[in-house]
Amino acid sequence: YEISTRDWSSDVCSSDLDGAVQMWALENKKMATDTYSLSDTSLLSFLRASALPVCPLGGKYSAGAQVSHVPRCSISGHSL
């Protein structure tokens, strides 16, 4: 058998961020088409330590255009 030497950290950012956005939207009765900000303290309260997670390669997170859009990482190929 082969042992994978793939570095998974290059493909994955924190999945907690999208989950926090979705829980915030549910608790605040937001619609899928509503917008949000990653600096909103009420949204950040759904994250560990009430702070944005850190990308393993130093990317920056940005909000999706709407609640129904997953936040993005500035590192090409990273997915939440």
Side-chain angles (χ1 to χ4, degrees), residues 18-64:
D18 186 44
V21 170
Q22 298 309 313
M23 291 199 51
W24 168 84
L26 181 65
E27 294 260 333
N28 290 282
K29 298 176 177 47
K30 300 293 182 181
M31 304 294 292
T33 55
D34 286 339
T35 59
Y36 64 98
S37 168
L38 295 180
S39 62
D40 183 331
T41 55
S42 68
L43 187 153
L44 292 175
S45 70
F46 287 91
L47 292 164
R48 188 174 311 136
S50 295
L52 284 176
V54 176
C55 169
L57 294 180
K60 302 291 182 205
Y61 296 120
S62 60

Side-chain angles (χ1 to χ4, degrees), residues 10-25:
S10 65
D11 294 329
V12 180
C13 283
S14 173
S15 61
D16 293 346
L17 188 51
D18 186 44
V21 170
Q22 298 309 313
M23 291 199 51
W24 168 84

Side-chain angles (χ1 to χ4, degrees), residues 46-79:
F46 287 91
L47 292 164
R48 188 174 311 136
S50 295
L52 284 176
V54 176
C55 169
L57 294 180
K60 302 291 182 205
Y61 296 120
S62 60
Q66 303 172 339
V67 167
S68 61
H69 297 137
V70 176
R72 296 174 308 275
C73 177
S74 61
I75 304 289
S76 178
H78 274 207
S79 59

